[in-house]
Structure formats: C-alpha cells, structure tokens
Amino acid sequence: MTFSIHGLAVSRGVAIGRAVLVASSRMDVAHYFIRQTDVEAEIKRVRAARNQVVEELQRLQLSISQMSPKDAPPELGALLDVHLMLLQDTELEAGIKRWIVERLYNAEWALTAQLDVIVRNFDEMEDPYLRERKGDLEQIVERILRAMRGVANPVAVSPRSTPKNAAQDLLLDDTVDVPLVLVAHDLSPADMLQFKQSVFAGFITDVGGKTSHTAIVARSMDIPAVVGARTCSQLVRQDDWIIVDGDAGVVIVDPSPIILAEYSFKKRQLELERGRLSRLLNTPAVTLDGEKVQLLANIEMPEDAQVALKAGALGVGLFRSEFLFMGRRGNLPDEEEQFVAYQRAVQDMHGLPVTIRTVDVGADKPLDASTHDAAHLNPALGLRAIRWSLADPAMFLTQLRAILRAAAFGQVHLLIPMLAHASEIKQTFAHIETARKQLDKRGLAYGPIKVGAMIEIPAAALTLPLFLKYFDFLSIGTNDLIQYTLAIDRADESVAHLYDPLHPAILQLVAATIAEGHKQGKEVSVCGEMAGDVSLTRLLLGMGLRSFSMHPAQILAVKQEILRADAKRLAPWAQRVMASDNPALLLSGGGI
Ligand code: PEP
Ligand code: MG
C-alpha cells in the first residue's frame, strides 16, 4: 500500500530505489559492500560463526544436563533449546545468504538486515509468546556477531582507501543494478561521509535539521535526501520500493505505478535542467550591471577539491578540516598526514585560494559516532571548534604547522571557527606564531597565509571592529549564526520550523557584517548554507555580498541567478526586505 512520510527537504532531486535500512538494530556493526568475488567467503564467514555459536550453546546444554537438578535452572535449558532452534532456522540462513548474494552486503550487515525482517514478522504475531521470541533472536544475532569478530577480522572496504573500490565494483556489476536508498534513524556526519562515492541514490533519516552536518554532507554529495522524517525507519521495511523527493521533503513508500511514472518524469526533468545549467560552467559570474561575484566551494575532504574545480568553483571558501579527524577512534591525524591532505587540496586547486578551517568538532559533529556528548546538556554551547583547539594546544599547533607547510604549495587562507572573545583571538594568533617558530626550528618550509574569522556567534557579529582589527577576511557561518541568534538547535527537527534565515535579526547581522567588512576594505564571504540557496542569492547580492561559498553542486544554479541580477537595483530592495516584518513575503514576490 502506498503511503507518504513528510520530513525536511535537504538535498535536491528525486531518487527512486529499494530501501536499505542500516543500523536499525541496536547492534553497532560495519556496513560495507563486498566484491562479487568475495560472496562465497562471506557466506562461509557467517556460517562458521553460526556453527561456532551452535557448538557453544550445545556445550552449555551438555554442562547443564550434567548438573544436579537443583543447580540446573530449568528455564535455562528451555531457553537454550529456543536459541538453538532459532539458530538453525532456515529462514535466517536463507535470508542472510540472499542479502549477501543479491545485495553484496558484508556478513554483519546481512545478518542485521535479516534480523530486521524477522523481527518485523515477530512484531505482527498475535501470540504473545511468539512475539517475545524477538528478544531471543536478537540475542543469538548478537552472539553470532561476537563470534564473527573472533573468527575473522573484516576490514571495512572504505571507498576512500582503495582507488577502485567495492562501491564502484557494485556499480559496474550488472547483477546489482537496482538503485538503493539508505534509510536510518540517524547517521553521524562521519557515517554519511563513509557513504560518499557509494552506490546510494538517496538518503533518509528520522532525525536531523536542515543544516545539521549530516544534511550538509548529503547535500555535498548531491544526492536527494530527506531528514527529520520522524518514524520513517520504523515504517519502511528492508527492500521496500521508495521515492525520495529531496525538493519537497517527502518520502513515498511502495508507490503505485501512476506515482512512479510521475516521479520518473520529474526526475528526468531535473536531469534536463542540470544539463542546461552545465552550459554556464565557463561563464564568469558577473551581474547584469557588471559586478563580479566570486563563487567558491565548500569541501569536506581533500579529494573534493577536484570536484569543486570541475563544478566551476574559483577556489575553496571552506575546507571543513574536521572530517579528517572524525571516525578515527581517537587516532587523530598527525602533522604529516594532515600536511599531505592539505597539500593535495592546495595543489589540486592550481593556484586558486583554498580556505582551510581549523578543526570544528563538537555538538552534532562528534569525533566518533559513538562519542555523542551525552555528558553535557548543551554540547552546541560547549567545547566546540576553536574552544576545543585552544584546550588542546599540542593538537592545535600540529594542525597549524600542517596548514602553514601546505601554504608553501599555493594560496592558503586559514579560517578560525566559533570565535567570540578577544582572548581567543589573541591566543589563536600567538599559536600561529608559535607554529611558525617551531617550523623554523625544524628547518621546514612554509608559506604566507591570510587569516580569517568565522562570524557565526552573534557576539562576534556585534563586535566587528575587534575582528576587523586582527583578521584579513571574514566568513559568515550562517548555519551557526542562525542557531545561536534564534536559540534553535540546527540538528533538532522538532524546532526546524523556527530555523529561519529570513528572521530580521539574522538579516541585520549578515548585512552589517558585509557592510562593516567592506568599509574596512576586507573581504567578506558567506559560507553557510544561505550562500547556496538560490532563493536568497538576490537578497545577499543586494546586501553587497560578492563572495559566496557553497557545495559545488549549487554553484551553477547560483551563478544563473547572478547572471540575471542587477546588483544596483537589488540594493534598495534588500533594504526594504530587511525593514519588513515579513521578509519572506517580499522575497517570494520575486523582488525586482
Ligand atoms: C556555519 O556555521 O555556517 C558553517 C559554515 O560552519 P558549519 O556548518 O560547519 O558549522
Ligand atoms: Mg559553523
């Protein structure tokens, strides 16, 4: 039966495919695709683990049978019988095999996927005794997973670690040509990054806001996505056909043929629109009245620099370096590893500027998915970004040295996140100086850098003279500026309706930062999601913004808006929008 689920539209486009539910069980397992040639080995691996658990339980059964009746709890024997029966159930084995053979899931993933299927069937059972067997099944799956950890040592096939990866194999493999849509309760930004370059045609999560970092990564992957879909991962079943409408924020499950035809048509239209936009690739971004606009890219990993260049970016306006630090289980990248990563991005941009932001972990960007900050009530107000760096000078100096060294290979701008206090500014510059001295002492080459501040805390936007005194440029992080000005958690879907880039307070802070920076002859850009939102391009131009940094996939659509705009006429209109009680209304009128 067709039904729809409404969430938040975070990444444009339409995806149609089979649902892949991940991590919906409470077990933390790796999800990766195996190669076709590894199918047999993977089936053997799970079978060996299952047999090992069967032997363990049989041994236990034997030892119970040898106990005196008063020591042997009768319920334990019955429980072991049930577990052994479930373990030898053919449905479990056949299902696991199917996920491995047909979908090329790794054994652990296949096991938990099949667990989901069986658990659903249990849930629907009338008989309470049988319904309760669900818990037993989960226990035996956990046992098998534990046995697998001991039997073999699977290494996750990371699409980034091998030039020709499993995901590419999967794409080339015509036995698995069904598009897949990933459905999860939640995905950390690091998890999401793992799926970059993977086969998924779309993403859906139950939680998350429009500018949560998971949503940002989905957008950067240019794959249709819906977040904040509430109970989606409970309503959708493994392998359901599913449509993701990333423009409307709607998920359609089990679509009827008519709906499917309609969305296939919409998908083709969007592809045609993209084709048309690609003609603007080499057109300079200049308004009708001759104002030049700089279009830069936001990237997460060094290899994204090439994508940015191909998308027509004239530089990197934001390299979120924290993604190098995430999912490392505490094993943070050393100076050499970071240097190589930054150098690669710098060299790939062939002399165009690369703005490297120092690490910004914390809040909805934990270092590891499992280290969500539960200890503090408001992690977004806690030890995040520059606060984290200043709290760990050795780590900060390591990063600064790596960035300074990469600057010997091209134009590097250093960007500092989450500054609010004069003391933080002073400490930051003192550390930059120390890093230079350390490199001098070691005789290592480094290059000149411009240093910029993110304006993303209202306190910073309200004390611009202080920032302009020290920094060469400013970059407005509207995602956090909105979060902190309006007191709206950007990752919380329950308050997503209040997360409003057009709130007059936001418009005033953004406009004032642009105006004040330009008055002092300093470059100001916007690198938050507002920069890539085509419905806001004219307004930002009218405020005087001439440098936009966004996901590479948005660059051409924003460029099209710029080419059609008359900046001189937009300036007075932008003033009217800002003075209005209802800026959204004026904006939807299309302006001038
Ligand atoms: C921002 O806050 O707008 C920004 C660009 O930084 P991040 O989204 O990484 O917090
Ligand atoms: Mg930010």
Side-chain angles (χ1 to χ4, degrees):
M1 190 194 63
T2 303
F3 63 96
S4 59
I5 301 165
H6 292 250
L8 301 167
V10 295
S11 185
R12 298 201 56 199
V14 168
I16 304 172
R18 294 268 197 188
V20 175
L21 282 151
V22 298
S24 51
S25 79
R26 57 206 164 87
M27 284 148 248
D28 181 18
V29 300
H31 296 78
Y32 56 91
F33 293 102
I34 57 164
R35 292 167 200 277
Q36 187 72 57
T37 47
D38 293 337
V39 164
E40 273 313 310
E42 206 65 4
I43 294 172
K44 273 197 194 129
R45 199 158 71 79
V46 73
R47 203 174 279 150
R50 194 208 48 186
N51 291 345
Q52 183 186 325
V53 176
V54 169
E55 280 167 27
E56 274 168 23
L57 296 187
Q58 283 170 340
R59 268 200 306 277
L60 203 59
Q61 223 172 20
L62 187 69
S63 62
I64 290 176
S65 68
Q66 288 164 352
M67 285 180 191
S68 70
K70 79 171 166 34
D71 292 336
E75 31 337 325
L76 187 56
L79 195 70
L80 284 174
D81 288 342
V82 171
H83 281 200
L84 279 163
M85 190 190 74
L86 289 171
L87 264 170
Q88 285 152 340
D89 175 33
T90 47
E91 195 193 340
L92 181 66
E93 172 156 15
I96 294 168
K97 198 167 159 193
R98 207 181 54 240
W99 293 118
I100 296 176
V101 173
E102 292 177 13
R103 288 277 189 270
L104 297 180
Y105 290 180
N106 63 305
E108 290 86 348
W109 186 0
L111 185 58
T112 49
Q114 189 55 22
L115 172 69
D116 283 342
V117 171
I118 303 178
V119 159
R120 294 237 186 220
N121 294 341
F122 274 122
D123 279 342
E124 282 163 12
M125 284 175 185
E126 300 268 303
D127 183 336
Y129 171 79
L130 289 177
R131 262 206 319 268
E132 277 164 25
R133 299 289 64 80
K134 185 175 111 174
D136 295 310
L137 187 70
E138 285 173 345
Q139 282 177 17
I140 64 145
V141 166
E142 247 174 290
R143 272 181 178 274
I144 302 175
L145 286 172
R146 246 180 280 132
M148 262 194 281
R149 267 178 230 135
V151 168
N153 189 20
V155 179
V157 179
S158 157
R160 297 184 174 283
S161 61
T162 45
K164 187 172 184 304
N165 58 59
Q168 287 162 354
D169 278 355
L170 190 65
L171 276 176
L172 298 174
D173 185 342
D174 54 15
T175 60
V176 187
D177 54 2
V178 191
L180 302 175
V181 172
L182 192 126
V183 184
H185 175 68
D186 193 10
L187 285 173
S188 73
D191 287 339
M192 198 64 151
L193 206 67
Q194 276 277 322
F195 291 119
K196 210 162 177 162
Q197 297 172 26
S198 75
V199 289
F200 294 110
F203 291 94
I204 305 163
T205 60
D206 293 346
V207 300
K210 255 187 165 180
T211 60
S212 62
H213 284 93
T214 303
I216 287 175
V217 178
R219 245 188 317 272
S220 81
M221 291 157 72
D222 198 19
I223 289 177
V226 171
V227 303
R230 312 249 170 178
T231 50
C232 188
S233 71
Q234 288 166 39
L235 299 175
V236 172
R237 292 159 185 247
Q238 290 284 8
D239 232 29
D240 273 348
W241 274 103
I242 199 163
I243 296 174
V244 184
D245 182 342
D247 292 289
V250 174
V251 177
I252 299 166
V253 186
D254 197 10
S256 66
I258 292 179
I259 296 177
L260 209 51
E262 200 177 305
Y263 271 96
S264 302
F265 177 73
K266 187 172 173 188
K267 191 164 178 277
R268 275 196 301 280
Q269 292 297 108
L270 288 169
E271 279 156 13
L272 285 176
E273 193 185 308
R274 264 168 205 245
R276 276 195 293 275
L277 276 179
S278 67
R279 295 191 205 127
L280 300 180
L281 192 64
N282 298 313
T283 310
V286 181
T287 62
L288 291 172
D289 55 332
E291 286 286 327
K292 287 198 188 88
V293 180
Q294 181 172 231
L295 297 181
L296 305 167
N298 291 355
I299 67 170
E300 278 89 35
M301 295 299 270
E303 51 269 39
D304 299 337
Q306 284 181 351
V307 179
L309 212 54
K310 281 200 197 110
L314 289 184
V316 170
L318 173 65
F319 179 170
R320 289 185 163 98
S321 70
E322 54 274 16
F323 282 88
L324 294 173
F325 290 65
M326 284 152 64
R328 308 277 304 229
R329 295 178 195 268
N331 181 21
L332 300 187
D334 62 13
E335 180 180 326
E336 213 48 37
E337 182 183 338
Q338 288 189 57
F339 163 62
V340 170
Y342 305 142
Q343 183 197 35
R344 175 170 174 193
V346 170
Q347 286 182 326
D348 283 353
M349 290 308 288
H350 303 289
L352 294 171
V354 176
T355 309
I356 304 173
R357 182 176 70 181
T358 56
V359 67
D360 180 5
V361 289
D364 73 328
K365 273 185 293 192
L367 274 181
D368 288 295
S370 56
T371 59
H372 263 298
D373 187 354
H376 301 100
L377 283 179
N378 295 303
L381 305 181
L383 198 65
R384 230 196 105 173
I386 189 64
R387 302 168 182 184
W388 196 69
S389 297
L390 292 175
D392 188 348
M395 186 277 301
F396 192 32
L397 285 167
T398 302
Q399 179 168 40
L400 291 173
R401 287 193 303 271
I403 295 173
L404 284 165
R405 286 173 59 192
F409 296 85
Q411 224 189 120
V412 170
H413 299 170
L414 176 71
L415 183 58
I416 312 294
M418 287 270 296
L419 288 163
H421 301 265
S423 60
E424 291 168 332
I425 298 174
K426 287 179 187 151
Q427 283 179 65
T428 298
F429 277 97
H431 279 107
I432 296 171
E433 216 22 62
T434 307
R436 283 198 186 100
K437 286 198 182 114
Q438 290 174 338
L439 290 173
D440 284 336
K441 216 158 148 192
R442 284 162 51 195
L444 287 173
Y446 57 90
I449 50 166
K450 280 188 179 172
V451 186
M454 298 257 329
I455 302 297
E456 53 183 347
I457 295 185
L462 293 168
T463 51
L464 290 166
L466 171 73
F467 284 80
L468 289 164
K469 182 170 151 198
Y470 287 94
F471 290 98
D472 302 313
F473 67 97
L474 304 178
S475 188
I476 310 175
T478 50
N479 307 336
D480 277 316
L481 190 62
I482 298 168
Q483 157 162 272
Y484 296 125
T485 307
L486 302 182
I488 301 299
D489 184 341
R490 60 193 268 193
D492 183 347
E493 69 282 0
S494 64
V495 285
H497 59 292
L498 298 172
Y499 189 93
D500 181 12
L502 289 173
H503 190 291
I506 303 300
L507 299 182
Q508 280 169 33
L509 292 176
V510 171
T513 306
I514 297 167
E516 195 73 20
H518 286 173
K519 209 157 77 193
Q520 307 246 352
K522 303 268 168 103
E523 191 180 294
V524 181
S525 66
V526 169
C527 64
E529 297 302 293
M530 280 178 80
D533 182 341
V534 285
S535 70
L536 301 176
T537 307
R538 286 165 172 254
L539 183 60
L540 291 171
L541 281 172
M543 288 177 177
L545 189 75
R546 296 295 179 264
S547 176
F548 295 63
S549 191
M550 68 201 78
H551 299 298
Q554 280 303 102
I555 288 180
L556 295 183
V558 170
K559 192 190 276 186
Q560 178 167 265
E561 286 296 302
I562 291 167
L563 295 173
R564 292 171 177 169
D566 182 336
K568 248 194 325 298
R569 294 178 62 202
L570 284 175
W573 169 73
Q575 291 304 322
R576 285 201 302 279
V577 173
M578 279 189 283
S580 159
D581 287 348
N582 192 347
L585 193 67
L586 276 181
L587 208 67
S588 63
I592 47 173

